[in-house]
């Protein structure tokens, strides 16, 4: 069995992906045009209406930890 030169393998390795890209571009119709809504309402979302969640007391955050700045080693013991 005869060995294939490295240059032929390199050209084949580069030509196959390039050919796949060119075929995919040829098969597509082109870029889609964006769908622009007739009116825009600020503060609204296009999804379903949000449901109101019952207030939860577990959502309260604990108070912040006290500021402990006693990491100096300069004090006399």
């Amino acid at each position: 069995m005869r060995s294939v030169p490295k240059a032929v393998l390199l050209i084949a390795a580069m030509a196959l992906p390039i050919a796949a890209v060119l075929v995919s571009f040829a098969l597509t119709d082109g870029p889609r045009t964006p769908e622009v809504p007739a009116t825009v309402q600020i503060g609204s979302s296009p999804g379903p209406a949000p449901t109101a969640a019952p207030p939860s007391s577990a959502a309260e955050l604990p108070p912040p930890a006290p500021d402990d700045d006693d990491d100096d080693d300069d004090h006399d013991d």
Side-chain angles (χ1 to χ4, degrees), residues 24-25 27-35:
S24 68
F25 278 138
L27 294 178
T28 59
D29 295 335
R32 293 184 291 177
T33 56
E35 298 175 7

Side-chain angles (χ1 to χ4, degrees), residues 6-68:
K6 291 182 180 180
V8 173
L9 291 176
L10 179 64
I11 291 171
M14 293 181 66
L16 289 174
I18 292 172
V21 169
L22 292 176
V23 167
S24 68
F25 278 138
L27 294 178
T28 59
D29 295 335
R32 293 184 291 177
T33 56
E35 298 175 7
V36 180
T39 59
V40 177
Q41 296 177 354
I42 296 181
S44 65
S45 62
T51 58
S56 173
S57 62
E60 294 180 18
L61 297 175
D67 189 21
D68 187 18

